[in-house]
């Protein structure tokens, strides 16, 4: 589905921005961009998931759930 690709691309772009944390000495320089990026991702997830357990909206995880899990799993590391 096209909406699945949008979510996967958003996560991919957002996740790559988090690597700015490793490339800077001053966290304040990148913090605003990172928080704005994570807010966008959070809104997208909330809208997509709604009251469903999975992003795919199915009773079992779908492709989009598996595609974004590596990004979600690593967010606490940042």
């Amino acid at each position: 589905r096209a909406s699945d690709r949008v979510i996967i691309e958003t996560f991919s772009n957002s996740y790559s921005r988090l690597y700015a944390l490793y490339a800077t000495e001053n966290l304040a320089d990148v913090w605003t961009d990172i928080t704005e990026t994570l807010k966008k991702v959070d809104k997208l997830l909330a809208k997509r998931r709604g009251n469903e357990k999975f992003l795919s909206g199915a009773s079992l995880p779908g492709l989009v759930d598996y595609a974004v899990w590596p990004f979600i799993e690593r967010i606490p590391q940042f």
Side-chain angles (χ1 to χ4, degrees), residues 21-67:
L21 289 170
Y22 296 114
T24 184
E25 295 290 323
N26 186 359
L27 184 59
D29 293 342
V30 294
W31 189 251
T32 301
D33 185 42
I34 289 170
T35 56
E36 291 303 315
T37 298
L38 290 174
K39 285 178 187 178
K40 288 177 188 176
V41 168
D42 187 48
K43 286 180 184 178
L44 180 65
L45 286 175
K47 180 180 176 184
R48 173 61 186 255
R49 187 170 160 244
N51 293 326
E52 300 294 331
K53 185 174 182 179
F54 300 106
L55 293 172
S56 62
S59 59
L60 295 171
L63 176 63
V64 69
D65 298 291
Y66 290 113

Side-chain angles (χ1 to χ4, degrees), residues 6-18 34-49 55 68 71-72 75:
V6 169
I7 289 177
I8 293 167
E9 288 175 16
T10 300
F11 265 88
S12 176
N13 292 336
S14 300
Y15 192 69
S16 64
R17 287 187 170 177
L18 292 175
I34 289 170
T35 56
E36 291 303 315
T37 298
L38 290 174
K39 285 178 187 178
K40 288 177 188 176
V41 168
D42 187 48
K43 286 180 184 178
L44 180 65
L45 286 175
K47 180 180 176 184
R48 173 61 186 255
R49 187 170 160 244
L55 293 172
V68 300
F71 303 109
I72 294 171
I75 287 176

